[in-house]
Amino acid sequence: MYTHDLIVIGAGAGGLTAAGGCARLGLRVALIERSAMGGDCLNTGCVPSKALIAAAARAHALRSGAALGIAAVEPAVDFAAVHAHVHRAIAAIAPVDSAEHMTELGCEVIRGDAVLTGRAAVAVGDRKISAPRIVLAVGSRPQIPNIEGLADVPLLTNENVFALDTLPRHLLVVGNGPIGLELAQAFRRLGAEVTVAAPGGALPKDDAEAVAVALDSLANDGVNFIRGEVSHAASDATGVTLTLKGGETLSGSHVLLATGRSHDFAGLGLDAAGVQHDADGIVVDARRRTSNPRIYAIGDCRPGPHFTHVSGYEGANIVLEVGLGLPTKADYSALPWVTYTDPEVAQVGLTEVAARKRHGDTVRVWREDFADNDRAIAEGDTRGFVKLVKHGRKLVGATIVGAGAGDLILPAAMIVAGKSSLFGLASLIVPYPNRSENLKKAAFASQDALVFNRFTRGWAQLLARLRR
Ligand SMILES: Cc1cc2nc3c(=O)[nH]c(=O)nc-3n(C[C@H](O)[C@H](O)[C@H](O)COP(=O)(O)OP(=O)(O)OC[C@H]3O[C@@H](n4cnc5c(N)ncnc54)[C@H](O)[C@@H]3O)c2cc1C
Ligand SMILES: NC(=O)c1ccc[n+]([C@@H]2O[C@H](COP(=O)([O-])OP(=O)(O)OC[C@H]3O[C@@H](n4cnc5c(N)ncnc54)[C@H](O)[C@@H]3O)[C@@H](O)[C@H]2O)c1
């Protein structure tokens, strides 16, 4: 006999969704968390970073109103108060992810370090529990690259950067992925000098033209970009010095590592449970079953995209798989993601380049610049564009870069997912003046031949003649 129907290890976005949904279906669910409920997103990821970005945006607005007739002023940034705002945001959201709320939903929440002790058994301290299905939602850790001297340098990662209550004088950011870019711009706008070092182009999975618009904005804010791989680090009482492979050195007061994610499965007992893993994470199939098919791994702990909405989606799939017994494969053909720089860079499905690589020259692209959008002109912020990428009659991807791009991407995501249509979007009434008009314009342009063709012209002319 098992003690539970389902054991979920990890109470981040993935584990909370899987455990909460299965408990609401009446399963006896144990949810185990060793650290703060809510995982990375709530405590050290999305929520604090977006709260910091919001404070930075206010500071930027004070400096940048001159073009609209508002005299620019240098904001007085009280970084301790910014820190308090960031932690108030975490505290305000925390009840949704709390042990109390999960208990109300019907979970047994167990606090402690979970260890797999067999193919269906878990220990937490002295407590031994078992279940016919187990979900591993144990997340990821910051990757610490192999940089000589790094071990002796005080490091910031996403795990401690939001604990700072004084502004770094000069932040050296290693890495130009989403963490590096979002935090570089935020700290710069809050008044720090910021240098970003990385060997390659930023956000390589995104549309390069869209990324260029965001990078321009960061450069205008005064973020300094250096191309190169950091190979050596040292620190003394005055700060930190990083040396690039070519020999160039960068000096600053603090160093933030934003160099991707890794895993530490030591002590989790994966071998005892027959669960295989490699350097990219726990090995899973499309249904997120591990090499022990009764154990699933979801979210950041397995190879694949690492986003809160992805962990949540895979948690919801577990509710179908385990709760309702419906085999459910993860499908990322319509995956949206957003980098929250200003301007935001939002993507769903394939970029233009990825679509051309997959489908060749039959791919067609429609682009509408915000320079031609009345709302953007009125707001004095015409940066960016909407791009729709079609293969045949199907929308296979969309890119939006500009103010609020992350909120604008949803209609495109619905169409790429097949839950709505380009024709429907093209024929919608869109409120004026609104940035979403660009989506409608691009959709309409892509449907142009359906409306203005040989047959409709012939029909219209016949009607006109009959009326003459
Ligand atoms: C700075 C930053 C900003 C981000 N911004 C965004 C964003 O804007 N949008 C977005 O979509 N994504 C963002 N992400 C990514 C997002 O935070 C992660 O993809 C998401 O939090 C992963 O959720 P998860 O449930 O898979 O794992 P986690 O949230 O990492 O949860 C795993 C949990 O398992 C627990 N655990 C691990 N081992 C054990 C054990 N043996 N016993 C008990 N408990 C255990 C951990 O303590 C942790 O709480 C950001 C990440 C960072 C670092
Ligand atoms: N808005 C969002 O959705 C959001 C925001 C932040 C983070 N995240 C998620 O968090 C995860 C981690 O983000 P990230 O930005 O750390 O990872 P990333 O893997 O996207 O970027 C890592 C960067 O570090 C650089 N790098 C690695 N070693 C280096 C070295 N020795 N010297 C210089 N540069 C080096 C790489 O070139 C790369 O630019 C991502 O999977 C992302 O999905 C998402």
Side-chain angles (χ1 to χ4, degrees):
M1 276 299 280
Y2 298 110
T3 60
H4 294 82
D5 298 316
L6 173 69
I7 298 170
V8 178
I9 305 180
L16 289 167
T17 311
C22 287
R24 290 186 64 192
L25 289 173
L27 273 65
R28 294 170 306 161
V29 178
L31 172 62
I32 310 168
E33 174 56 60
R34 67 176 171 201
S35 180
M37 295 290 289
D40 228 11
C41 179
L42 175 63
N43 301 290
T44 50
C46 333
V47 172
S49 59
K50 270 75 241 179
L52 194 78
I53 287 168
R58 298 288 174 98
H60 179 69
L62 290 176
R63 283 191 201 100
S64 57
L68 282 72
I70 311 297
V73 284
E74 186 52 33
V77 174
D78 174 352
F79 198 76
V82 172
H83 170 267
H85 152 70
V86 167
H87 288 272
R88 268 197 308 276
I90 295 173
I93 297 170
V96 181
D97 295 354
S98 66
E100 293 72 19
H101 184 227
M102 296 311 289
T103 306
E104 270 168 30
L105 292 181
C107 297
E108 182 190 357
V109 179
I110 304 173
R111 306 309 302 268
D113 221 324
V115 182
L116 294 158
T117 52
R119 294 182 69 83
V122 172
V124 191
D126 294 339
R127 178 101 187 263
K128 310 252 182 291
I129 57 175
S130 58
R133 296 288 183 275
I134 296 176
V135 172
L136 304 174
V138 293
S140 62
R141 301 287 310 274
Q143 167 133 293
I144 309 296
N146 195 9
I147 296 174
E148 204 188 326
L150 207 58
D152 303 320
V153 169
L155 287 180
L156 294 171
T157 68
N158 72 293
E159 292 183 342
N160 58 357
V161 69
F162 302 110
L164 288 180
D165 58 8
T166 53
L167 185 71
R169 178 181 52 76
H170 184 169
L171 184 64
L172 303 178
V173 179
V174 186
N176 57 2
I179 297 182
L181 294 187
E182 288 181 4
L183 294 185
Q185 188 176 40
F187 276 102
R188 176 67 198 137
R189 288 180 164 191
L190 289 166
E193 201 177 327
V194 176
T195 303
V196 177
L203 306 178
K205 290 189 186 134
D206 280 272
D207 178 287
E209 288 178 301
V211 174
V213 175
L215 291 179
D216 258 7
S217 168
L218 266 78
N220 284 338
D221 287 343
V223 174
N224 185 25
F225 287 95
I226 305 285
R227 186 58 84 91
E229 188 178 333
V230 177
S231 59
H232 186 271
S235 67
D236 59 23
T238 62
V240 192
T241 301
L242 301 179
T243 308
L244 305 182
K245 264 197 171 152
E248 192 176 347
T249 59
L250 312 172
S251 295
S253 60
H254 293 70
V255 58
L256 170 67
L257 283 186
T259 43
R261 309 298 292 174
S262 71
H263 304 96
D264 178 9
F265 298 127
L268 184 57
L270 293 182
D271 290 346
V275 173
Q276 288 170 7
H277 65 98
D278 61 25
D280 295 326
I282 297 172
V283 178
V284 288
D285 66 9
R287 285 168 55 191
R288 300 310 182 232
R289 292 173 302 180
T290 67
S291 48
N292 173 345
R294 292 173 170 213
I295 299 186
Y296 296 81
I298 61 170
D300 273 20
C301 66
R302 50 92 195 110
H306 288 173
F307 298 108
T308 292
H309 44 288
V310 160
S311 296
Y313 163 73
E314 294 190 359
N317 283 356
I318 291 293
V319 182
L320 300 178
E321 272 269 350
V322 176
L324 299 178
L326 301 170
T328 308
K329 289 183 180 173
D331 173 6
Y332 288 123
S333 53
L335 175 67
W337 69 89
V338 179
T339 300
Y340 295 89
T341 45
D342 172 25
E344 294 175 358
V345 182
Q347 178 66 41
V348 59
L350 300 177
T351 60
E352 180 181 349
V353 167
R356 290 195 193 287
K357 205 179 263 175
R358 185 174 301 177
H359 301 298
D361 289 340
T362 54
V363 165
R364 293 200 59 195
V365 173
W366 282 267
R367 176 177 159 150
E368 294 291 338
D369 290 356
F370 287 116
D372 301 322
N373 178 281
D374 293 359
R375 177 69 175 274
I377 294 168
E379 289 177 341
D381 181 1
T382 54
R383 296 166 302 168
F385 57 82
V386 167
K387 206 188 242 192
L388 298 182
V389 180
K390 255 176 93 183
H391 174 241
R393 295 176 63 180
K394 194 171 163 24
L395 185 71
V396 292
T399 303
I400 307 180
V401 57
D407 290 315
L408 291 176
I409 198 80
L410 199 64
M414 289 185 71
I415 299 168
V416 176
K419 296 177 195 243
S420 175
S421 72
L422 264 177
F423 190 79
L425 175 59
S427 52
L428 263 188
I429 303 175
V430 175
Y432 173 88
N434 198 305
R435 286 171 182 269
S436 56
E437 285 168 61
N438 273 35
L439 261 174
K440 173 180 164 153
K441 265 168 103 180
F444 192 86
S446 79
Q447 303 293 299
D448 199 75
L450 270 181
V451 182
F452 301 108
N453 57 41
R454 200 151 64 85
F455 301 106
T456 56
R457 283 171 62 82
W459 173 244
Q461 284 163 35
L462 175 66
L463 277 181
R465 269 203 302 276
L466 290 174
R467 288 192 204 107
R468 277 172 203 152

